[in-house]
Amino acid sequence: MTQPFAARRIGLTGGIGSGKSTVAEMLAECGAVIVDADAISRQLTAAGGAAIPAIRQIFGAAFVTSAGALDRDAMRQQVFSDPAAKLRLEAIVHPLVAAETARQASAAESKGTRCIVFDVPLLVESGRWRAQLHQVLVVDCTEERQISRVMARNGWTREAVQKVIDAQASRTQRLAAADICIYNETQSLAELAGLARAAAARFGL
């Protein structure tokens, strides 16, 4: 069912290491406005970010760096060891992300943009997103490819990457939610750009 929004709204998601952020950049080059939920979350938890006072209050000063930002390593370890901590963090950050996402989308629509791409890593996990979108684009690859890319990019251990993958929706769940899928296993950047342009054309760009 077509949603009553001024611009076409596309949800973009994919597991860690899938190439989702690269595809987002390519869609932006085609004329889409990108609303990046991860970037918004990072801003909210950076030094002076709107989420920091509540994080300090709920979790304690040990989870805030001397510069006043979220201590990501400490929080990552806490969340992996205590599932309830993840819920407490989400209760702080998610409403703030939702508000800023809505503000950016409204600003883009007011400028007459034809297509807004919401880059949301946990789109499938969140029950609220699908009703706000016309279509969902999933960037897909094998789990082994995810692991090798993130190990090379971030310097993480295999076990650390696997923990993140296990905490995200499964590949099967993401593909089940997809209206359009870009398979990014062994593609070159040029080939991936061609796939992104083809998707953009389907979005009216």
Side-chain angles (χ1 to χ4, degrees), residues 10-15 17-34 36 115 117-119 136-141 149 153 180-185 187-200 203 205:
I10 306 301
L12 171 64
T13 195
S18 64
K20 172 184 61 63
S21 296
T22 301
V23 170
E25 293 172 3
M26 293 169 173
L27 292 173
E29 291 173 0
C30 294
V33 170
I34 309 299
D36 186 338
C115 180
V117 173
F118 296 87
D119 181 348
V136 172
L137 169 60
V138 171
V139 183
D140 177 57
C141 66
R149 283 177 180 154
R153 180 186 70 195
I180 302 172
C181 179
I182 290 178
Y183 186 57
N184 181 32
E185 181 73 10
Q187 282 71 12
S188 66
L189 280 175
E191 290 168 336
L192 187 61
L195 295 172
R197 285 193 298 270
F203 305 149
L205 295 171

mmCIF file of all heavy atoms in Angstrom, residues 10-15 17-34 36 115 117-119 136-141 149 153 180-185 187-200 203 205:
data_model
loop_
_atom_site.group_PDB
_atom_site.id
_atom_site.type_symbol
_atom_site.label_atom_id
_atom_site.label_comp_id
_atom_site.label_asym_id
_atom_site.label_seq_id
_atom_site.Cartn_x
_atom_site.Cartn_y
_atom_site.Cartn_z
ATOM 1 N N ILE A 10 12.264 5.180 1.208
ATOM 2 C CA ILE A 10 12.885 3.863 1.054
ATOM 3 C C ILE A 10 13.662 3.530 2.322
ATOM 4 O O ILE A 10 14.448 4.336 2.816
ATOM 5 C CB ILE A 10 13.856 3.854 -0.150
ATOM 6 C CG1 ILE A 10 13.149 4.332 -1.426
ATOM 7 C CG2 ILE A 10 14.455 2.461 -0.333
ATOM 8 C CD1 ILE A 10 11.954 3.510 -1.834
ATOM 9 N N GLY A 11 13.454 2.351 2.849
ATOM 10 C CA GLY A 11 14.256 1.868 3.961
ATOM 11 C C GLY A 11 15.435 1.075 3.425
ATOM 12 O O GLY A 11 15.268 0.181 2.585
ATOM 13 N N LEU A 12 16.628 1.413 3.858
ATOM 14 C CA LEU A 12 17.851 0.721 3.438
ATOM 15 C C LEU A 12 18.446 0.022 4.647
ATOM 16 O O LEU A 12 18.693 0.651 5.684
ATOM 17 C CB LEU A 12 18.854 1.731 2.870
ATOM 18 C CG LEU A 12 20.273 1.203 2.570
ATOM 19 C CD1 LEU A 12 20.246 0.147 1.480
ATOM 20 C CD2 LEU A 12 21.199 2.361 2.195
ATOM 21 N N THR A 13 18.680 -1.275 4.521
ATOM 22 C CA THR A 13 19.269 -2.005 5.640
ATOM 23 C C THR A 13 20.166 -3.124 5.129
ATOM 24 O O THR A 13 20.171 -3.450 3.938
ATOM 25 C CB THR A 13 18.159 -2.554 6.578
ATOM 26 O OG1 THR A 13 18.756 -2.948 7.816
ATOM 27 C CG2 THR A 13 17.423 -3.729 5.960
ATOM 28 N N GLY A 14 20.904 -3.700 6.058
ATOM 29 C CA GLY A 14 21.816 -4.793 5.741
ATOM 30 C C GLY A 14 22.649 -5.076 6.975
ATOM 31 O O GLY A 14 22.831 -4.200 7.829
ATOM 32 N N GLY A 15 23.150 -6.270 7.092
ATOM 33 C CA GLY A 15 23.967 -6.629 8.240
ATOM 34 C C GLY A 15 25.297 -5.909 8.227
ATOM 35 O O GLY A 15 25.718 -5.336 7.217
ATOM 36 N N GLY A 17 28.952 -5.051 7.691
ATOM 37 C CA GLY A 17 29.867 -5.523 6.660
ATOM 38 C C GLY A 17 29.215 -5.865 5.332
ATOM 39 O O GLY A 17 29.888 -6.379 4.434
ATOM 40 N N SER A 18 27.930 -5.557 5.179
ATOM 41 C CA SER A 18 27.243 -5.908 3.925
ATOM 42 C C SER A 18 27.545 -4.936 2.795
ATOM 43 O O SER A 18 27.387 -5.270 1.614
ATOM 44 C CB SER A 18 25.726 -5.949 4.152
ATOM 45 O OG SER A 18 25.232 -4.662 4.496
ATOM 46 N N GLY A 19 27.964 -3.722 3.145
ATOM 47 C CA GLY A 19 28.163 -2.683 2.135
ATOM 48 C C GLY A 19 27.016 -1.699 2.086
ATOM 49 O O GLY A 19 26.929 -0.882 1.159
ATOM 50 N N LYS A 20 26.169 -1.712 3.088
ATOM 51 C CA LYS A 20 24.987 -0.854 3.121
ATOM 52 C C LYS A 20 25.351 0.633 3.033
ATOM 53 O O LYS A 20 24.728 1.386 2.287
ATOM 54 C CB LYS A 20 24.202 -1.130 4.404
ATOM 55 C CG LYS A 20 23.047 -0.180 4.677
ATOM 56 C CD LYS A 20 22.401 -0.470 6.008
ATOM 57 C CE LYS A 20 23.337 -0.314 7.164
ATOM 58 N NZ LYS A 20 23.856 1.095 7.322
ATOM 59 N N SER A 21 26.357 1.045 3.799
ATOM 60 C CA SER A 21 26.743 2.454 3.812
ATOM 61 C C SER A 21 27.294 2.887 2.454
ATOM 62 O O SER A 21 27.065 4.015 2.010
ATOM 63 C CB SER A 21 27.767 2.719 4.917
ATOM 64 O OG SER A 21 27.195 2.476 6.182
ATOM 65 N N THR A 22 28.007 1.994 1.791
ATOM 66 C CA THR A 22 28.516 2.297 0.454
ATOM 67 C C THR A 22 27.370 2.477 -0.525
ATOM 68 O O THR A 22 27.364 3.409 -1.341
ATOM 69 C CB THR A 22 29.447 1.174 -0.025
ATOM 70 O OG1 THR A 22 30.531 1.042 0.904
ATOM 71 C CG2 THR A 22 29.996 1.468 -1.409
ATOM 72 N N VAL A 23 26.368 1.616 -0.440
ATOM 73 C CA VAL A 23 25.195 1.741 -1.305
ATOM 74 C C VAL A 23 24.456 3.046 -1.008
ATOM 75 O O VAL A 23 23.974 3.723 -1.925
ATOM 76 C CB VAL A 23 24.261 0.527 -1.142
ATOM 77 C CG1 VAL A 23 22.922 0.757 -1.836
ATOM 78 C CG2 VAL A 23 24.928 -0.731 -1.698
ATOM 79 N N ALA A 24 24.379 3.432 0.263
ATOM 80 C CA ALA A 24 23.731 4.696 0.617
ATOM 81 C C ALA A 24 24.423 5.864 -0.073
ATOM 82 O O ALA A 24 23.767 6.766 -0.617
ATOM 83 C CB ALA A 24 23.744 4.891 2.131
ATOM 84 N N GLU A 25 25.758 5.868 -0.067
ATOM 85 C CA GLU A 25 26.514 6.933 -0.735
ATOM 86 C C GLU A 25 26.209 6.950 -2.233
ATOM 87 O O GLU A 25 26.079 8.022 -2.843
ATOM 88 C CB GLU A 25 28.008 6.735 -0.502
ATOM 89 C CG GLU A 25 28.442 6.926 0.948
ATOM 90 C CD GLU A 25 29.884 6.541 1.175
ATOM 91 O OE1 GLU A 25 30.570 6.172 0.188
ATOM 92 O OE2 GLU A 25 30.341 6.593 2.337
ATOM 93 N N MET A 26 26.094 5.774 -2.814
ATOM 94 C CA MET A 26 25.806 5.691 -4.249
ATOM 95 C C MET A 26 24.399 6.189 -4.567
ATOM 96 O O MET A 26 24.177 6.858 -5.582
ATOM 97 C CB MET A 26 25.995 4.245 -4.729
ATOM 98 C CG MET A 26 27.441 3.784 -4.680
ATOM 99 S SD MET A 26 27.609 1.988 -4.948
ATOM 100 C CE MET A 26 29.402 1.837 -5.048
ATOM 101 N N LEU A 27 23.442 5.894 -3.702
ATOM 102 C CA LEU A 27 22.079 6.390 -3.905
ATOM 103 C C LEU A 27 22.038 7.908 -3.753
ATOM 104 O O LEU A 27 21.283 8.591 -4.460
ATOM 105 C CB LEU A 27 21.128 5.723 -2.915
ATOM 106 C CG LEU A 27 20.896 4.226 -3.116
ATOM 107 C CD1 LEU A 27 20.064 3.660 -1.972
ATOM 108 C CD2 LEU A 27 20.210 3.940 -4.452
ATOM 109 N N ALA A 28 22.856 8.439 -2.841
ATOM 110 C CA ALA A 28 22.929 9.895 -2.685
ATOM 111 C C ALA A 28 23.453 10.546 -3.965
ATOM 112 O O ALA A 28 22.975 11.611 -4.379
ATOM 113 C CB ALA A 28 23.825 10.250 -1.498
ATOM 114 N N GLU A 29 24.421 9.884 -4.608
ATOM 115 C CA GLU A 29 24.958 10.408 -5.866
ATOM 116 C C GLU A 29 23.900 10.419 -6.966
ATOM 117 O O GLU A 29 23.983 11.213 -7.907
ATOM 118 C CB GLU A 29 26.170 9.579 -6.296
ATOM 119 C CG GLU A 29 27.385 9.762 -5.392
ATOM 120 C CD GLU A 29 28.512 8.805 -5.726
ATOM 121 O OE1 GLU A 29 28.353 7.986 -6.670
ATOM 122 O OE2 GLU A 29 29.549 8.847 -5.033
ATOM 123 N N CYS A 30 22.903 9.545 -6.817
ATOM 124 C CA CYS A 30 21.812 9.491 -7.790
ATOM 125 C C CYS A 30 20.715 10.517 -7.482
ATOM 126 O O CYS A 30 19.755 10.634 -8.248
ATOM 127 C CB CYS A 30 21.200 8.095 -7.822
ATOM 128 S SG CYS A 30 22.294 6.798 -8.439
ATOM 129 N N GLY A 31 20.847 11.204 -6.351
ATOM 130 C CA GLY A 31 19.885 12.256 -6.031
ATOM 131 C C GLY A 31 19.014 12.001 -4.816
ATOM 132 O O GLY A 31 18.166 12.841 -4.479
ATOM 133 N N ALA A 32 19.185 10.862 -4.151
ATOM 134 C CA ALA A 32 18.394 10.589 -2.957
ATOM 135 C C ALA A 32 18.931 11.407 -1.784
ATOM 136 O O ALA A 32 20.125 11.688 -1.704
ATOM 137 C CB ALA A 32 18.444 9.107 -2.606
ATOM 138 N N VAL A 33 18.036 11.773 -0.882
ATOM 139 C CA VAL A 33 18.437 12.362 0.393
ATOM 140 C C VAL A 33 18.572 11.214 1.395
ATOM 141 O O VAL A 33 17.649 10.410 1.555
ATOM 142 C CB VAL A 33 17.401 13.386 0.895
ATOM 143 C CG1 VAL A 33 17.709 13.813 2.323
ATOM 144 C CG2 VAL A 33 17.380 14.597 -0.027
ATOM 145 N N ILE A 34 19.718 11.121 2.044
ATOM 146 C CA ILE A 34 19.970 10.035 2.988
ATOM 147 C C ILE A 34 19.740 10.525 4.411
ATOM 148 O O ILE A 34 20.311 11.544 4.819
ATOM 149 C CB ILE A 34 21.414 9.501 2.861
ATOM 150 C CG1 ILE A 34 21.758 9.178 1.398
ATOM 151 C CG2 ILE A 34 21.606 8.287 3.767
ATOM 152 C CD1 ILE A 34 20.895 8.108 0.767
ATOM 153 N N ASP A 36 20.523 9.087 7.896
ATOM 154 C CA ASP A 36 21.371 8.017 8.430
ATOM 155 C C ASP A 36 21.120 7.857 9.928
ATOM 156 O O ASP A 36 21.594 8.670 10.744
ATOM 157 C CB ASP A 36 22.837 8.368 8.152
ATOM 158 C CG ASP A 36 23.808 7.266 8.540
ATOM 159 O OD1 ASP A 36 23.451 6.424 9.388
ATOM 160 O OD2 ASP A 36 24.930 7.257 8.005
ATOM 161 N N CYS A 115 12.970 11.554 -3.270
ATOM 162 C CA CYS A 115 13.231 10.253 -2.639
ATOM 163 C C CYS A 115 14.092 10.429 -1.399
ATOM 164 O O CYS A 115 15.146 11.063 -1.450
ATOM 165 C CB CYS A 115 13.938 9.332 -3.635
ATOM 166 S SG CYS A 115 14.311 7.692 -2.979
ATOM 167 N N VAL A 117 16.005 8.180 1.506
ATOM 168 C CA VAL A 117 16.465 6.849 1.879
ATOM 169 C C VAL A 117 16.826 6.866 3.356
ATOM 170 O O VAL A 117 17.704 7.623 3.781
ATOM 171 C CB VAL A 117 17.676 6.411 1.034
ATOM 172 C CG1 VAL A 117 18.246 5.097 1.559
ATOM 173 C CG2 VAL A 117 17.266 6.255 -0.434
ATOM 174 N N PHE A 118 16.136 6.046 4.131
ATOM 175 C CA PHE A 118 16.404 5.934 5.558
ATOM 176 C C PHE A 118 17.380 4.768 5.760
ATOM 177 O O PHE A 118 17.005 3.609 5.598
ATOM 178 C CB PHE A 118 15.110 5.688 6.336
ATOM 179 C CG PHE A 118 14.131 6.839 6.250
ATOM 180 C CD1 PHE A 118 13.229 6.915 5.195
ATOM 181 C CD2 PHE A 118 14.124 7.834 7.211
ATOM 182 C CE1 PHE A 118 12.332 7.976 5.107
ATOM 183 C CE2 PHE A 118 13.230 8.889 7.132
ATOM 184 C CZ PHE A 118 12.332 8.969 6.076
ATOM 185 N N ASP A 119 18.612 5.115 6.075
ATOM 186 C CA ASP A 119 19.675 4.124 6.294
ATOM 187 C C ASP A 119 19.564 3.659 7.741
ATOM 188 O O ASP A 119 19.976 4.364 8.673
ATOM 189 C CB ASP A 119 21.028 4.787 6.016
ATOM 190 C CG ASP A 119 22.203 3.844 6.176
ATOM 191 O OD1 ASP A 119 22.019 2.735 6.719
ATOM 192 O OD2 ASP A 119 23.320 4.226 5.770
ATOM 193 N N VAL A 136 11.474 -1.468 0.972
ATOM 194 C CA VAL A 136 12.674 -1.790 1.741
ATOM 195 C C VAL A 136 13.720 -2.366 0.792
ATOM 196 O O VAL A 136 13.448 -3.322 0.056
ATOM 197 C CB VAL A 136 12.369 -2.792 2.869
ATOM 198 C CG1 VAL A 136 13.665 -3.261 3.534
ATOM 199 C CG2 VAL A 136 11.438 -2.166 3.905
ATOM 200 N N LEU A 137 14.904 -1.776 0.818
ATOM 201 C CA LEU A 137 16.047 -2.243 0.030
ATOM 202 C C LEU A 137 17.046 -2.888 0.983
ATOM 203 O O LEU A 137 17.507 -2.249 1.933
ATOM 204 C CB LEU A 137 16.696 -1.072 -0.701
ATOM 205 C CG LEU A 137 18.066 -1.322 -1.372
ATOM 206 C CD1 LEU A 137 17.972 -2.418 -2.421
ATOM 207 C CD2 LEU A 137 18.608 -0.032 -1.978
ATOM 208 N N VAL A 138 17.373 -4.149 0.742
ATOM 209 C CA VAL A 138 18.323 -4.876 1.577
ATOM 210 C C VAL A 138 19.611 -5.117 0.794
ATOM 211 O O VAL A 138 19.567 -5.574 -0.358
ATOM 212 C CB VAL A 138 17.731 -6.223 2.049
ATOM 213 C CG1 VAL A 138 18.801 -7.082 2.721
ATOM 214 C CG2 VAL A 138 16.570 -5.981 3.012
ATOM 215 N N VAL A 139 20.735 -4.786 1.410
ATOM 216 C CA VAL A 139 22.042 -5.126 0.846
ATOM 217 C C VAL A 139 22.476 -6.424 1.520
ATOM 218 O O VAL A 139 22.569 -6.504 2.741
ATOM 219 C CB VAL A 139 23.075 -4.009 1.087
ATOM 220 C CG1 VAL A 139 24.400 -4.376 0.427
ATOM 221 C CG2 VAL A 139 22.556 -2.679 0.541
ATOM 222 N N ASP A 140 22.751 -7.425 0.716
ATOM 223 C CA ASP A 140 22.928 -8.784 1.221
ATOM 224 C C ASP A 140 24.286 -9.351 0.823
ATOM 225 O O ASP A 140 24.820 -9.044 -0.253
ATOM 226 C CB ASP A 140 21.810 -9.677 0.658
ATOM 227 C CG ASP A 140 21.965 -11.131 1.080
ATOM 228 O OD1 ASP A 140 22.021 -11.393 2.288
ATOM 229 O OD2 ASP A 140 22.042 -12.005 0.190
ATOM 230 N N CYS A 141 24.838 -10.175 1.714
ATOM 231 C CA CYS A 141 26.011 -10.987 1.385
ATOM 232 C C CYS A 141 26.054 -12.136 2.382
ATOM 233 O O CYS A 141 25.264 -12.185 3.324
ATOM 234 C CB CYS A 141 27.302 -10.160 1.438
ATOM 235 S SG CYS A 141 27.729 -9.560 3.084
ATOM 236 N N ARG A 149 35.074 -8.843 5.963
ATOM 237 C CA ARG A 149 35.123 -7.396 5.719
ATOM 238 C C ARG A 149 35.317 -6.611 7.007
ATOM 239 O O ARG A 149 36.130 -5.680 7.064
ATOM 240 C CB ARG A 149 33.833 -6.936 5.028
ATOM 241 C CG ARG A 149 33.753 -7.252 3.553
ATOM 242 C CD ARG A 149 32.410 -6.830 2.997
ATOM 243 N NE ARG A 149 32.311 -7.131 1.568
ATOM 244 C CZ ARG A 149 31.171 -7.347 0.938
ATOM 245 N NH1 ARG A 149 30.017 -7.297 1.602
ATOM 246 N NH2 ARG A 149 31.152 -7.612 -0.353
ATOM 247 N N ARG A 153 38.352 -4.248 8.059
ATOM 248 C CA ARG A 153 38.044 -2.809 8.171
ATOM 249 C C ARG A 153 38.269 -2.279 9.580
ATOM 250 O O ARG A 153 38.847 -1.216 9.772
ATOM 251 C CB ARG A 153 36.588 -2.576 7.757
ATOM 252 C CG ARG A 153 36.119 -1.121 7.812
ATOM 253 C CD ARG A 153 34.623 -1.046 7.526
ATOM 254 N NE ARG A 153 33.817 -1.601 8.617
ATOM 255 C CZ ARG A 153 32.528 -1.919 8.505
ATOM 256 N NH1 ARG A 153 31.916 -1.782 7.340
ATOM 257 N NH2 ARG A 153 31.866 -2.390 9.540
ATOM 258 N N ILE A 180 13.356 -5.046 -2.518
ATOM 259 C CA ILE A 180 14.450 -5.050 -3.490
ATOM 260 C C ILE A 180 15.704 -5.500 -2.758
ATOM 261 O O ILE A 180 15.915 -5.135 -1.605
ATOM 262 C CB ILE A 180 14.675 -3.649 -4.093
ATOM 263 C CG1 ILE A 180 13.394 -3.139 -4.781
ATOM 264 C CG2 ILE A 180 15.834 -3.653 -5.080
ATOM 265 C CD1 ILE A 180 13.484 -1.691 -5.214
ATOM 266 N N CYS A 181 16.528 -6.299 -3.432
ATOM 267 C CA CYS A 181 17.764 -6.783 -2.806
ATOM 268 C C CYS A 181 18.948 -6.515 -3.735
ATOM 269 O O CYS A 181 18.869 -6.758 -4.946
ATOM 270 C CB CYS A 181 17.662 -8.278 -2.510
ATOM 271 S SG CYS A 181 19.160 -8.965 -1.750
ATOM 272 N N ILE A 182 20.012 -5.985 -3.168
ATOM 273 C CA ILE A 182 21.290 -5.864 -3.867
ATOM 274 C C ILE A 182 22.247 -6.877 -3.247
ATOM 275 O O ILE A 182 22.539 -6.803 -2.052
ATOM 276 C CB ILE A 182 21.863 -4.443 -3.752
ATOM 277 C CG1 ILE A 182 21.025 -3.461 -4.578
ATOM 278 C CG2 ILE A 182 23.322 -4.411 -4.207
ATOM 279 C CD1 ILE A 182 21.502 -2.016 -4.486
ATOM 280 N N TYR A 183 22.700 -7.822 -4.057
ATOM 281 C CA TYR A 183 23.611 -8.855 -3.568
ATOM 282 C C TYR A 183 25.035 -8.359 -3.753
ATOM 283 O O TYR A 183 25.465 -8.061 -4.866
ATOM 284 C CB TYR A 183 23.379 -10.156 -4.338
ATOM 285 C CG TYR A 183 24.183 -11.323 -3.814
ATOM 286 C CD1 TYR A 183 24.087 -11.732 -2.494
ATOM 287 C CD2 TYR A 183 25.038 -12.024 -4.657
ATOM 288 C CE1 TYR A 183 24.819 -12.814 -2.016
ATOM 289 C CE2 TYR A 183 25.771 -13.106 -4.190
ATOM 290 C CZ TYR A 183 25.652 -13.488 -2.863
ATOM 291 O OH TYR A 183 26.384 -14.554 -2.390
ATOM 292 N N ASN A 184 25.773 -8.233 -2.661
ATOM 293 C CA ASN A 184 27.106 -7.624 -2.676
ATOM 294 C C ASN A 184 28.126 -8.576 -2.082
ATOM 295 O O ASN A 184 28.646 -8.370 -0.994
ATOM 296 C CB ASN A 184 27.075 -6.301 -1.890
ATOM 297 C CG ASN A 184 28.422 -5.604 -1.895
ATOM 298 O OD1 ASN A 184 29.174 -5.702 -2.858
ATOM 299 N ND2 ASN A 184 28.720 -4.895 -0.819
ATOM 300 N N GLU A 185 28.423 -9.633 -2.819
ATOM 301 C CA GLU A 185 29.362 -10.654 -2.330
ATOM 302 C C GLU A 185 30.764 -10.425 -2.891
ATOM 303 O O GLU A 185 31.713 -10.206 -2.142
ATOM 304 C CB GLU A 185 28.851 -12.041 -2.709
ATOM 305 C CG GLU A 185 29.722 -13.172 -2.227
ATOM 306 C CD GLU A 185 29.612 -13.412 -0.714
ATOM 307 O OE1 GLU A 185 28.727 -12.835 -0.075
ATOM 308 O OE2 GLU A 185 30.434 -14.178 -0.188
ATOM 309 N N GLN A 187 31.166 -8.362 -5.815
ATOM 310 C CA GLN A 187 31.058 -7.285 -6.796
ATOM 311 C C GLN A 187 32.155 -6.241 -6.596
ATOM 312 O O GLN A 187 32.545 -5.934 -5.468
ATOM 313 C CB GLN A 187 29.680 -6.585 -6.675
ATOM 314 C CG GLN A 187 28.528 -7.332 -7.314
ATOM 315 C CD GLN A 187 28.136 -8.581 -6.543
ATOM 316 O OE1 GLN A 187 28.575 -8.779 -5.421
ATOM 317 N NE2 GLN A 187 27.324 -9.422 -7.156
ATOM 318 N N SER A 188 32.627 -5.683 -7.712
ATOM 319 C CA SER A 188 33.526 -4.541 -7.637
ATOM 320 C C SER A 188 32.704 -3.302 -7.298
ATOM 321 O O SER A 188 31.464 -3.320 -7.364
ATOM 322 C CB SER A 188 34.218 -4.332 -8.991
ATOM 323 O OG SER A 188 33.261 -3.949 -9.970
ATOM 324 N N LEU A 189 33.381 -2.218 -6.943
ATOM 325 C CA LEU A 189 32.659 -0.979 -6.657
ATOM 326 C C LEU A 189 31.883 -0.496 -7.875
ATOM 327 O O LEU A 189 30.771 0.019 -7.746
ATOM 328 C CB LEU A 189 33.638 0.105 -6.190
ATOM 329 C CG LEU A 189 34.087 0.031 -4.727
ATOM 330 C CD1 LEU A 189 35.147 1.092 -4.444
ATOM 331 C CD2 LEU A 189 32.901 0.196 -3.780
ATOM 332 N N ALA A 190 32.461 -0.682 -9.054
ATOM 333 C CA ALA A 190 31.773 -0.270 -10.287
ATOM 334 C C ALA A 190 30.503 -1.093 -10.498
ATOM 335 O O ALA A 190 29.454 -0.563 -10.883
ATOM 336 C CB ALA A 190 32.708 -0.400 -11.486
ATOM 337 N N GLU A 191 30.607 -2.387 -10.254
ATOM 338 C CA GLU A 191 29.435 -3.247 -10.403
ATOM 339 C C GLU A 191 28.370 -2.909 -9.363
ATOM 340 O O GLU A 191 27.172 -2.866 -9.664
ATOM 341 C CB GLU A 191 29.850 -4.718 -10.277
ATOM 342 C CG GLU A 191 30.672 -5.208 -11.455
ATOM 343 C CD GLU A 191 31.320 -6.564 -11.189
ATOM 344 O OE1 GLU A 191 31.532 -6.920 -10.012
ATOM 345 O OE2 GLU A 191 31.636 -7.262 -12.174
ATOM 346 N N LEU A 192 28.821 -2.633 -8.132
ATOM 347 C CA LEU A 192 27.880 -2.268 -7.076
ATOM 348 C C LEU A 192 27.190 -0.948 -7.410
ATOM 349 O O LEU A 192 25.977 -0.792 -7.188
ATOM 350 C CB LEU A 192 28.617 -2.155 -5.740
ATOM 351 C CG LEU A 192 27.749 -1.940 -4.501
ATOM 352 C CD1 LEU A 192 26.779 -3.096 -4.298
ATOM 353 C CD2 LEU A 192 28.627 -1.760 -3.262
ATOM 354 N N ALA A 193 27.940 -0.009 -7.968
ATOM 355 C CA ALA A 193 27.356 1.274 -8.359
ATOM 356 C C ALA A 193 26.289 1.086 -9.426
ATOM 357 O O ALA A 193 25.256 1.763 -9.421
ATOM 358 C CB ALA A 193 28.449 2.219 -8.863
ATOM 359 N N GLY A 194 26.517 0.153 -10.340
ATOM 360 C CA GLY A 194 25.513 -0.133 -11.369
ATOM 361 C C GLY A 194 24.235 -0.680 -10.765
ATOM 362 O O GLY A 194 23.123 -0.310 -11.168
ATOM 363 N N LEU A 195 24.370 -1.550 -9.767
ATOM 364 C CA LEU A 195 23.198 -2.100 -9.075
ATOM 365 C C LEU A 195 22.469 -0.999 -8.312
ATOM 366 O O LEU A 195 21.237 -0.969 -8.264
ATOM 367 C CB LEU A 195 23.626 -3.216 -8.133
ATOM 368 C CG LEU A 195 24.213 -4.473 -8.792
ATOM 369 C CD1 LEU A 195 24.773 -5.414 -7.745
ATOM 370 C CD2 LEU A 195 23.165 -5.177 -9.649
ATOM 371 N N ALA A 196 23.219 -0.102 -7.695
ATOM 372 C CA ALA A 196 22.608 1.011 -6.952
ATOM 373 C C ALA A 196 21.869 1.942 -7.904
ATOM 374 O O ALA A 196 20.758 2.418 -7.582
ATOM 375 C CB ALA A 196 23.684 1.777 -6.176
ATOM 376 N N ARG A 197 22.439 2.210 -9.070
ATOM 377 C CA ARG A 197 21.763 3.079 -10.051
ATOM 378 C C ARG A 197 20.469 2.431 -10.537
ATOM 379 O O ARG A 197 19.463 3.127 -10.740
ATOM 380 C CB ARG A 197 22.697 3.373 -11.227
ATOM 381 C CG ARG A 197 23.794 4.381 -10.913
ATOM 382 C CD ARG A 197 24.476 4.872 -12.179
ATOM 383 N NE ARG A 197 25.139 3.800 -12.896
ATOM 384 C CZ ARG A 197 26.405 3.424 -12.709
ATOM 385 N NH1 ARG A 197 27.139 4.041 -11.784
ATOM 386 N NH2 ARG A 197 26.947 2.447 -13.408
ATOM 387 N N ALA A 198 20.490 1.120 -10.720
ATOM 388 C CA ALA A 198 19.283 0.421 -11.163
ATOM 389 C C ALA A 198 18.190 0.520 -10.092
ATOM 390 O O ALA A 198 17.011 0.733 -10.404
ATOM 391 C CB ALA A 198 19.610 -1.032 -11.465
ATOM 392 N N ALA A 199 18.593 0.406 -8.833
ATOM 393 C CA ALA A 199 17.621 0.556 -7.744
ATOM 394 C C ALA A 199 17.102 1.980 -7.706
ATOM 395 O O ALA A 199 15.890 2.204 -7.537
ATOM 396 C CB ALA A 199 18.280 0.189 -6.412
ATOM 397 N N ALA A 200 17.995 2.947 -7.852
ATOM 398 C CA ALA A 200 17.578 4.352 -7.833
ATOM 399 C C ALA A 200 16.573 4.657 -8.925
ATOM 400 O O ALA A 200 15.617 5.416 -8.705
ATOM 401 C CB ALA A 200 18.816 5.261 -7.981
ATOM 402 N N PHE A 203 13.237 3.896 -7.925
ATOM 403 C CA PHE A 203 12.707 4.834 -6.952
ATOM 404 C C PHE A 203 12.362 6.183 -7.568
ATOM 405 O O PHE A 203 12.051 7.140 -6.859
ATOM 406 C CB PHE A 203 13.722 5.045 -5.822
ATOM 407 C CG PHE A 203 14.169 3.783 -5.132
ATOM 408 C CD1 PHE A 203 15.451 3.689 -4.592
ATOM 409 C CD2 PHE A 203 13.319 2.695 -5.013
ATOM 410 C CE1 PHE A 203 15.865 2.538 -3.949
ATOM 411 C CE2 PHE A 203 13.738 1.522 -4.387
ATOM 412 C CZ PHE A 203 15.013 1.450 -3.860
ATOM 413 N N LEU A 205 14.501 8.063 -9.472
ATOM 414 C CA LEU A 205 15.648 8.950 -9.533
ATOM 415 C C LEU A 205 16.394 8.814 -10.863
ATOM 416 O O LEU A 205 16.274 7.824 -11.541
ATOM 417 C CB LEU A 205 16.602 8.660 -8.374
ATOM 418 C CG LEU A 205 16.067 8.949 -6.978
ATOM 419 C CD1 LEU A 205 17.010 8.420 -5.929
ATOM 420 C CD2 LEU A 205 15.861 10.447 -6.799
#
